[in-house]
Amino acid sequence: MNILSISAFQILFAAIAIIVLYISAIAVLVKTKSGILPYAALILFPILGPLGIVFGNFTKKIK
């Protein structure tokens, strides 16, 4: 049953990935001088909020 166990390394990796995601989302929001609504999305939707902000900015640059 060792396959289904979560190790400390996996928890640490996930935490660092989420922290980097939040830092990049906040950097995008500060750079684009956004209003209060995107910051509320960061708080209300912990994973989807930063992903939406970062990928939304990425697709905006492509067009």
Side-chain angles (χ1 to χ4, degrees):
M1 282 295 161
N2 218 3
I3 296 172
L4 299 177
S5 66
I6 298 173
S7 67
F9 177 74
Q10 292 170 333
I11 294 172
L12 186 63
F13 180 76
I16 290 173
I18 291 171
I19 289 170
V20 168
L21 186 62
Y22 264 88
I23 289 172
S24 62
I26 290 173
V28 166
L29 290 178
V30 169
K31 189 177 101 175
T32 58
K33 298 178 183 159
S34 298
I36 191 72
L37 219 54
Y39 290 103
L42 282 176
I43 296 169
L44 294 175
F45 306 107
I47 302 297
L48 293 177
L51 280 174
I53 291 169
V54 170
F55 288 133
N57 187 45
F58 180 71
T59 57
K60 195 185 311 180
K61 286 184 178 180
I62 290 176
K63 290 181 181 180

